[in-house]
Amino acid sequence: MSKKLVVGNWKMHGDRAGNSELLAGILAAGPLPCDAAVCVPFVYLADTAVSLAASALRWGAQDVSAHARGAYTGEVSAPMLRELGCRYVIVGHSERRGGHAESDALVADKAKAALAHGLTPIVCLGETLEQRESGQTEAVVKRQLSAVIHVLGHCAGEIVVAYEPVWAIGTGRTASPDQAQSVHAILRTQLRAATAHADAMKILYGGSVKPDNAATLFAQADIDGGLIGGASLKAAEFVSICRAAQ
Ligand code: PGA
């Protein structure tokens, strides 16, 4: 079985001194049993690249432009992220879909731009509480994933998918392992119809993953790791979640 993947999403947190302490704390824990990465604010990527260059920990960004270059004030392109050694980029996080009106089509174009420049997009999707309560979870996640599959075609097998129910993000309210697994199984089935690589693909769960719930989530058949927000800001918690991903 391939290694699980645990990715920290720092969101808009941190400062230079605190980041270097956090990364030093993670590195001090020694080798981790999973693949691991941190997705940091753009402005800290260069520092992060220096701190992690000699380690097995990878790094990435939290968003990317759908365009490779041009007159797009405020945007950051995939080639720029590559130049800073990024391996991953999060696209379609609910805080961007919701707060920045990112459509399914734009998220798909960002995933395509990332792949075209050697980055692995971590494509986030998930339903709101209202959608879950009105029985739309399956339709919503399938629609979000299908937009990406449509744009990527046979390259869909190269992405990482992150199922993040919006109601579980930053709320302390985690999806139960069964709830998460059932959505992951739906996504896996959808991926199988699109690519021969579906069984080797990583489908991460995100939303209030903590040291005390990580192991049971990661034990589910179709949960291949986690996308960790709040708990990735404390070295001990991030390391303990990584250790749960045996
Ligand atoms: P959380 O965030 O772990 O703080 O819920 C997860 C995410 O938004 O990626």
Side-chain angles (χ1 to χ4, degrees), residues 94-117:
S94 61
E95 287 153 16
R96 297 210 59 87
R97 288 181 190 263
H100 299 263
E102 292 197 3
S103 64
D104 292 342
L106 178 61
V107 172
D109 285 344
K110 288 183 171 194
K112 185 176 183 188
L115 278 182
H117 297 281

Side-chain angles (χ1 to χ4, degrees), residues 30-43:
L32 298 169
C34 60
D35 290 328
V38 289
C39 288
V40 310
F42 290 130
V43 292

Side-chain angles (χ1 to χ4, degrees), residues 9 11 90 93-95 124 164 168-172 206-210 227-231:
N9 172 12
K11 308 193 180 185
I90 296 171
H93 192 281
S94 61
E95 287 153 16
C124 299
E164 298 206 308
I169 295 176
T171 57
S208 298
V209 178
K210 306 286 175 208
L227 183 56
I228 320 299

Side-chain angles (χ1 to χ4, degrees), residues 7 10 17 26 61 70 78 120 159 163-164 171 181 197 202 209 214 221-222 229 242-243 245:
V7 179
W10 289 5
I26 298 170
T120 299
I159 68 172
Y163 169 56
E164 298 206 308
T171 57
Q181 166 57 27
H197 303 296
K202 301 250 187 299
V209 178
D222 290 294
C242 289
R243 288 196 175 131

